[in-house]
Amino acid sequence: MSKAIFLDRDGTINQEINYLTKKEDIVFYPNTIKALQIFKNSGFLNIIITNQSGIARGFLTENDLNTIHKEFRKLLTANNQELIDDIFYSPFHIDGIIEHYKTDSADRKPGTGMIHKAKAKYNIELQESFLVGDSLSDMQCAVNAGVKNILVETGYGKRDLENCKMENLKIDYFAKDLYDAACYVSKIKN
């Protein structure tokens, strides 16, 4: 069985800009590539799981999102090795305006649909895996799926640390950023 780092996208890997709709607006946090390399060197798959309600809301199409994700994969490369193994996304939101996507979905975090799809595809041992994200829904998703959770201070992380406390939701580690999260995982896994 394999193990994975499930990565939220916006606010965790790249700067939160409130609906990333074009590839030219991608700005990664410092040391993102180093962090992803540490995870890979520690034996993890790097799998992005991301809510993308902008599709349901009509801000971008799935084709637009695929272009953005193609750029992510191209940019997140080191020594000719792609550092992202896969990307799963949920285009759904109950308040959407595009009828096809205007629905509740188990894929949308804090639901665990994306994690379970990745688990089935890659034979992932969830108890050996982590979810790194910047929001309450990321941390709830991790708990719901039975993976360890790391909340990063970037994005909405500072704000949502308080929300997690109010919900009595246990955080396994509160990291300064993705690089700090990677160093933590590397330290406890080696």
Side-chain angles (χ1 to χ4, degrees):
M1 291 189 91
S2 53
K3 56 188 180 176
I5 302 293
F6 296 106
L7 298 149
D8 173 55
R9 197 189 79 180
D10 304 323
T12 302
I13 295 174
N14 59 290
Q15 291 182 10
E16 175 64 57
I17 62 165
N18 201 17
Y19 301 109
L20 176 63
T21 59
K22 52 187 194 274
K23 68 181 185 177
E24 293 79 18
D25 291 337
I26 297 170
V27 178
F28 296 116
Y29 287 111
N31 298 314
T32 294
I33 287 179
K34 284 183 187 175
L36 295 172
Q37 286 176 302
I38 290 169
F39 290 138
K40 293 291 273 179
N41 292 339
S42 297
F44 290 92
L45 297 169
N46 288 325
I47 299 176
I48 293 175
I49 58 167
T50 179
N51 287 344
Q52 291 298 317
S53 70
I55 293 170
R57 297 173 195 273
F59 299 149
L60 74 164
T61 66
E62 286 195 77
N63 284 340
D64 296 333
L65 184 64
N66 289 333
T67 298
I68 290 166
H69 285 165
K70 190 174 181 181
E71 187 72 4
F72 258 75
R73 294 181 89 135
K74 183 178 110 186
L75 295 173
L76 296 175
T77 300
N79 303 321
N80 293 319
Q81 178 193 23
E82 272 193 40
L83 297 173
I84 299 299
D85 294 290
D86 210 336
I87 302 174
F88 292 81
Y89 65 91
S90 173
F92 307 105
H93 197 284
I94 197 71
D95 294 330
I97 62 166
I98 307 297
E99 202 57 42
H100 177 71
Y101 302 108
K102 186 179 177 170
T103 184
D104 198 10
S105 171
D107 283 352
R108 184 169 172 76
K109 295 178 283 183
T112 59
M114 291 184 282
I115 287 179
H116 287 291
K117 286 176 181 173
K119 177 185 190 264
K121 184 173 180 179
Y122 294 101
N123 195 27
I124 295 169
E125 176 61 52
L126 294 181
Q127 286 111 354
E128 296 296 316
S129 299
F130 293 80
L131 190 155
V132 183
D134 72 320
S135 71
L136 173 63
S137 67
D138 291 329
M139 299 302 99
Q140 290 169 324
C141 177
V143 169
N144 293 342
V147 301
K148 295 173 211 60
N149 60 11
I150 299 174
L151 182 66
V152 289
E153 207 175 289
T154 52
Y156 298 120
K158 280 184 188 175
R159 176 198 75 188
D160 278 16
L161 176 62
E162 294 309 312
N163 293 333
C164 290
K165 287 177 182 176
M166 287 172 29
E167 296 284 329
N168 291 320
L169 196 145
K170 180 184 172 286
I171 304 297
D172 292 307
Y173 185 65
F174 184 54
K176 181 178 177 354
D177 55 18
L178 189 60
Y179 180 73
D180 183 26
C183 292
Y184 168 77
V185 169
S186 174
K187 203 179 320 175
I188 66 169
K189 287 296 170 189
N190 292 328

